[in-house]
Amino acid sequence: FRAVPDDGGLVDADEDKDIKTEASNDSWGNNNANDGRLLSPSPGSSASAGSNKSAAGASEEQQTLLAVLQFLRKNKLTESVEILRREAGLPEDSLEPKGAESSGAGSGGASGGVDLEGGDASSLLTAGEDQPDVNVVLSAYSQQGDPALYEVYYSGLKRFIESVLDCHRAELSQVFYPLFVHMYLELVYNNHESEAKAFFEKFSGDQECYYEDDLRVLSSLTKKEHMRGNETLLDFRTSKFVLRISRDSYQLLKRHLQERQNNQIWNIIQEHLYIDIFDGMPRSKSQIDAMSGSLAGEAKREANKAKVYYGLLKEPEIELPLDDEDEEAENEEGKPKKKKPKKDSLGSKSKKQDPNAPSQNRIPLPELKDSDKLDKIMYMKEATKRIRLGPDNLPSICFYSFLNAYQGLTAVDFTDDSSLIAGGFADSTVRVWSVTPKKLRKVKSAADLNLIDKESDDVLERIMDEKTASESKILCGHSGPVYGISFSPDRNYLLSSSEDGTVRLWSLQTFTCLVGYKGHNYPVWDTQFSPHGYYFVSGGHDRVARLWATDHYQPLRMFSGHLADVTCTRFHPNSNYVATGSSDRTIRLWDVLNGNCVRIFTGHKGPIHALAFSPNGKFLASGATDGRVLLWDIGHGLMVGELKGHTDTIYSLRFSRDGEILASGSMDNTVRLWDATKAFDDLETDDFTAATGHIHLQDNSQELLLGTYMTKSTPVIHLHFTRRNLLLAAGAYNP
Amino acid sequence: MSAPKTIPKDAQVMIQILKDMGITEYEPRVINQMLEFTYRYVTTIIEDAKIYATHAKKSNVDADDIKLAIQCRMDQSFTSPPPRDFLLEVARQKNQTPLPLIKPYTGPRLPPDRYCLTAPNYRLKSIQKKVSSSAGRISVPRLSVGAVSSRPSTPTLGTPSVQSVTTKVGTPVSLTGQRFTVQIPPLTINVFTFATPSTPAVSNVLINPSLIGSKNILITTNMVSQNTGGESLKRKHEDDDDYDAL
């Protein structure tokens, strides 16, 4: 009968004293047992009440029994009533420690607590009745403390935390925000509107500044009905907010909450918070600030422990035909003229497997067709002509401005060889332009195809229709703004994702729509092809990211776990992992093989809109609405760098081809270049850091910033390094 | 913001709401849009509530009716994504199946045809007609200009109406005044449908819209062909039956 509080929660009519509830909440130690969270059952030992404790205890349990009796009688369980009455007629010591179980028993202590003139307290007084009303007892189950006392509890906790030692204060202050939100939501959920409002007004100003947006949303939520449609809040209520606190600080907190009448807070903490304890020094405020900000607190240690194969797949061996580098023969067949050792500038020179790389067949990947092999040869040729970038050798930037877009440009993508640009627009069209002088041609219609000579050498050009060649093509089909665009690596397909909930696959040979993938029923914010083609990932408003293959009409994997919309999805260079950034301010790394979440990165203070993997696969860069770029070490699961400088949302991030420079483009109309090699040098990542979250971020944003380039009131939506390390940027002119 | 005293009170309230929600930059027409939405939403709710109140035989609309109306509308128009535990469960099931192996050398990797958008989205009806009378003159009685057609069942594209086929033949000219025949130079015979590549014989007549000079041309059941023998027409008729059976 867990609903029954052990102190009855009912003030006996003749006793007018404070019956404090103790930390008899050992039954709650069952959720997420952490070391030391389990309290020793001490119903009476740590009581602060005086001598009549035992008497009070007895009468409380008596009350409980009477309540049970009344309940049974009400439900006409007469035999049980008899048995219970018979047994309960016995003296107290034969009573089962039913009373020792408490539920949100704070209500009892609450009403019997400090203010006896609290409105609800009086309703719980059983003046004149010797049998308690069972409803009152059962209402304690709804976790309801006396609403008028929430403020008292919170202030009490605030005073306590302000009085502790400096080194612990920062850590314990982490408790404020989740506690505040949960208490507020509890008040709203139980229909105590005015108390909720007062509570909010009094304490919302104390919270950290980076929670401001959440608080604003909360302030508009005053009734229980408002909570119904808000999935994010419901998830917040049911999921556990994770805090990482050192053992010493935790002991302090626990001791405080157990000895005073702070049961309500203790209950909330145990129910809604997950406290991940680590042994070590308490963290400083700046360290905590760097990692917090997400909707669900930080990440548990176990969440970041799985092994991630972040290495790159071995490049297939292709013989590089050694024609003269200047004349690039447009040889369609690409037969190697001479057998020479291949130029292996990309692949690993050693034959043995990189221990951090996944095996070649960990996930099935499409085999290379002849055209793919030709592409790779072109790639290697271009790679030899690539400019080496560095702090003293910055890339040139070529900016493609979309004119007359009237703020309707919502997505841009370049092909890998930078020959085509695609733009997704708010009027639901997708437009493809050719960057090179070569025009866009589509395949001839079936009738015309009949007429051509199929045996001729240039059949691949003859099938193209010259009459309709144009610089740009428009693809119509979506019924809502197009938010995500991605070219396939072999330049045959284009993907677009839209607010109408579908992802469409377009053919770039015929410029028609081939497939519409339905699955998300809500706006799809981003989509991307895998670097090897065939797979693509999409993420949307329904808080999941889906992995598809072009030849399956249903998704292959669903990556579910975010608390709010998935706003950005990116593949790892080895196609085995997908990174998703979300409005809940976390980034998760998912394993394609089994759909598990292998990493959770917290630290951003706003929804994440840009993600970029470094070319060597080891690091991830992320940009959000808070204007910061954060750098993460995937192997260890830690934040390794923070680049401050932008003043507005960062919408695009890209590493240069060899990973030396990181370019970021933002709504503040600038492109900034950062020194990536220096940022990833000398990293202190060891097990201690991973275990405790003691990250040491150097404040070297200024040194790492290599250049800031302003545009003429054009937010930068997309960045792309060509194969020779020229930086291309795209945005819509917004006067 | 223009002078506050000229803005109606509702708009002022809306401006305040936007300010409270932290939205500081917006185009001025957003206020109008929001007001329209609010007005429509509130009207819908109140109307619904009235219906519920009369259903419950109450004389006045009270708060319960409004609450019920709001609930029902929320489930209808403002659906929210599925709850997290449901998603986790579905994801767990879906992620258990191993990734399918990729068959090599299969050309473009697309789902089965019925899930693609590559099928033709129009259909041309065939007629059982032989162009006998008009030598050198192709009458296209199926040209209905716009929607004007004396036939009750306008055989527009895609409608599975079969009956119009046989009777239309042969009286191209003598139909009502709205119909007209068009002189079409005897050429431009294209195969429209990719789905039947096996009938290279002429099946349709391509009408170049510029010849006709009218905007709404419905290419209805123009199966007039110049040099088809009976069997190709019959063949087409069979195909047409197939289409109709869809």
Side-chain angles (χ1 to χ4, degrees), chain A residues 212-213 216-217, chain B residues 1 14-27 30-31 34:
Chain A
E212 196 184 318
D213 291 332
R216 198 178 295 124
V217 170
Chain B
M1 289 309 147
M14 189 53 70
I15 292 174
Q16 191 58 42
I17 292 178
L18 287 173
K19 197 150 74 122
D20 282 343
M21 293 308 288
I23 304 170
T24 48
E25 296 176 8
Y26 48 87
E27 292 191 17
V30 166
I31 311 267
M34 296 293 292

Side-chain angles (χ1 to χ4, degrees), chain A residues 336-392:
Chain A
K337 304 229 172 65
K338 304 169 226 180
K339 287 238 157 127
K340 285 263 176 127
K342 57 190 182 299
K343 283 202 185 174
D344 212 2
S345 55
L346 305 165
S348 53
K349 300 233 165 37
S350 61
K351 286 279 186 270
K352 63 176 163 63
Q353 174 84 341
D354 177 7
N356 288 319
S359 57
Q360 290 290 118
N361 47 10
R362 185 168 185 263
I363 59 167
L365 290 173
E367 85 287 349
L368 288 183
K369 301 202 274 266
D370 284 343
S371 50
D372 295 332
K373 294 199 173 117
L374 289 174
D375 272 346
K376 285 247 184 278
I377 293 173
M378 282 298 299
Y379 187 89
M380 286 196 246
K381 274 196 196 155
E382 299 259 358
T384 57
K385 298 196 182 129
R386 189 179 290 170
I387 305 172
R388 287 266 144 203
L389 298 175
D392 44 355

Side-chain angles (χ1 to χ4, degrees), chain A residues 216-217 219-220 225 228-231 235 238-239 362-369 407 445-447 493 504-505 513-518 522 534-535 541-544 546-547 549-563 588 592-596, chain B residues 18-23 27 67 70-72 74-75 78-119 189-194 197 200:
Chain A
R216 198 178 295 124
V217 170
S219 71
S220 68
E225 290 81 20
R228 252 190 71 209
N230 195 334
E231 284 301 326
D235 285 349
T238 50
S239 66
R362 185 168 185 263
I363 59 167
L365 290 173
E367 85 287 349
L368 288 183
K369 301 202 274 266
Q407 298 171 337
S445 60
Y493 300 116
R504 282 185 183 242
L505 183 75
C513 184
L514 296 177
V515 194
Y517 299 96
K518 302 189 184 63
Y522 296 92
Y534 183 67
Y535 295 111
H541 176 61
D542 58 353
R543 311 189 313 282
V544 302
R546 288 162 205 250
L547 179 82
T550 51
D551 57 6
H552 288 79
Y553 61 96
Q554 285 185 336
L556 299 175
R557 291 283 179 262
M558 288 199 22
F559 304 125
S560 161
H562 277 293
L563 293 166
R588 287 180 184 236
V592 163
L593 185 64
N594 47 24
N596 294 337
Chain B
L18 287 173
K19 197 150 74 122
D20 282 343
M21 293 308 288
I23 304 170
E27 292 191 17
K67 278 201 194 137
I70 294 179
Q71 251 184 18
C72 292
M74 276 268 285
D75 294 334
F78 303 104
T79 51
S80 49
R84 194 155 172 251
D85 44 355
F86 176 75
L87 289 174
L88 284 172
E89 182 53 37
V90 172
R92 199 181 55 81
Q93 279 183 358
K94 196 146 265 270
N95 295 344
Q96 272 170 355
T97 53
L99 290 172
L101 295 172
I102 307 178
K103 292 198 270 287
Y105 309 123
T106 44
R109 296 195 162 101
L110 295 176
D113 277 344
R114 58 191 294 256
Y115 300 106
C116 287
L117 304 170
T118 46
I189 297 172
N190 278 6
V191 178
F192 272 139
T193 62
F194 291 118

